[in-house]
Amino acid sequence: MNSFGNAFSWLFEPEQWSGPSGIPTRVLEHLGYTALAVLLGLVIALPIGMAIGHSGKGGFLVGAVNALRAIPELGLLILLVLLMGIGLLPVTLALVILAIPPILAGTYSGIRNVDRSVVDAARGMGMKEGRILFSVELPNALPLILGGIRAATLQVLATATIAAYVSLGGLGRFVIDGLYLRDFAQTLGGTYVIAVVALALEGLLILVQRLVVSRGLRRNPTRRRDRKVRPVEVAIETA
């Protein structure tokens, strides 16, 4: 119980909230690593997931990429540091590899789960494949796509603490430095900050998802196949 009290005392010390090593600076560094990795993961995984989901070809690739989740991130980071040296590049690459699988899986699943009768109706109306993808499939797939992005963001945020292991910044600095100095109040206080930031980011992403996704799709991430709406009407609504 005393350890928890010491951690809270450490958190509310004025010097922890100012300077280049203060909590606000470390939070911004941590969010910077997270944003960079997720953005690169989106650039790579989103187009691939859209293409595979729309065409139905190459679905095996999603399962193969999903196996990347089994790679231990710390071991991967050490390997990349040995190959590339200490710096931002190996950390970013390790986090991007973590971000890609949930984004790819969410995008692929979202596109493939769109009611095929809606897609066929859009084709029957003469829509080109590109317009079908962006005007029909993508809007209906948004809940699962955003869910994948949210999962990737939280996984990267939690794992970005490993950046401190190779002398970079972020909230992992409190954990790593605390362990090295046997300052367990700092270590525990750092984990509190990481947890609070993760919960705040989760809440923000949920709010964004509620604002972006229409109410009907929030109730059901994919079109109900038993719903009594004519496919042509649905295709027109989403066009």
Side-chain angles (χ1 to χ4, degrees):
M1 190 67 180
N2 191 39
S3 298
F4 292 99
N6 291 338
F8 278 108
S9 298
W10 177 87
L11 278 172
F12 291 105
E13 290 174 357
E15 58 266 28
Q16 305 304 336
W17 294 90
S18 61
S21 299
I23 292 174
T25 302
R26 295 305 188 194
V27 168
L28 290 177
E29 291 173 346
H30 203 93
L31 292 176
Y33 300 147
T34 301
L36 178 60
V38 173
L39 180 61
L40 292 175
L42 277 169
V43 170
I44 296 169
L46 192 61
I48 296 174
M50 290 168 59
I52 295 175
H54 177 71
S55 66
K57 300 176 181 178
F60 69 91
L61 183 62
V62 178
V65 172
N66 204 42
L68 293 175
R69 296 186 182 190
I71 298 177
E73 284 297 306
L74 184 57
L76 175 62
L77 175 61
I78 293 172
L79 175 62
L80 292 174
V81 166
L82 291 175
L83 294 175
M84 303 178 181
I86 293 177
L88 181 60
L89 180 59
V91 172
T92 302
L93 185 55
L95 294 177
V96 168
I97 291 173
L98 179 67
I100 287 175
I103 297 174
L104 180 61
T107 305
Y108 170 77
S109 299
I111 298 294
R112 291 306 295 168
N113 282 330
V114 175
D115 194 333
R116 292 297 97 187
S117 63
V118 176
V119 177
D120 291 340
R123 286 196 180 101
M125 293 170 60
M127 286 188 183
K128 295 183 178 180
E129 293 301 315
R131 190 181 177 195
I132 291 173
L133 175 60
F134 287 99
S135 298
V136 178
E137 292 178 322
L138 197 58
N140 284 279
L142 267 182
L144 290 178
I145 293 174
L146 292 177
I149 294 172
R150 194 172 83 227
T153 302
L154 294 175
Q155 289 177 21
V156 170
L157 179 76
T159 310
T161 54
I162 63 175
Y165 194 78
V166 291
S167 302
L168 293 183
L171 294 172
R173 272 269 63 92
F174 299 127
V175 178
I176 299 296
D177 292 348
L179 290 173
Y180 179 77
L181 299 172
R182 298 187 65 81
D183 184 356
F184 299 117
Q186 179 179 345
T187 299
L188 193 56
T191 61
Y192 289 164
V193 178
I194 294 170
V196 169
V197 172
L199 290 173
L201 187 58
E202 166 80 348
L204 178 61
L205 292 174
I206 291 174
L207 178 61
V208 169
Q209 184 168 350
R210 288 184 63 85
L211 293 175
V212 171
V213 178
S214 66
R215 186 177 301 175
L217 289 177
R218 286 204 303 267
R219 292 198 187 102
N220 192 359
T222 55
R223 290 283 183 185
R224 293 178 58 109
R225 299 179 185 272
D226 59 346
R227 187 179 173 188
K228 295 181 179 179
V229 177
R230 283 180 286 181
V232 174
E233 293 177 349
V234 176
I236 292 173
E237 291 172 1
T238 55

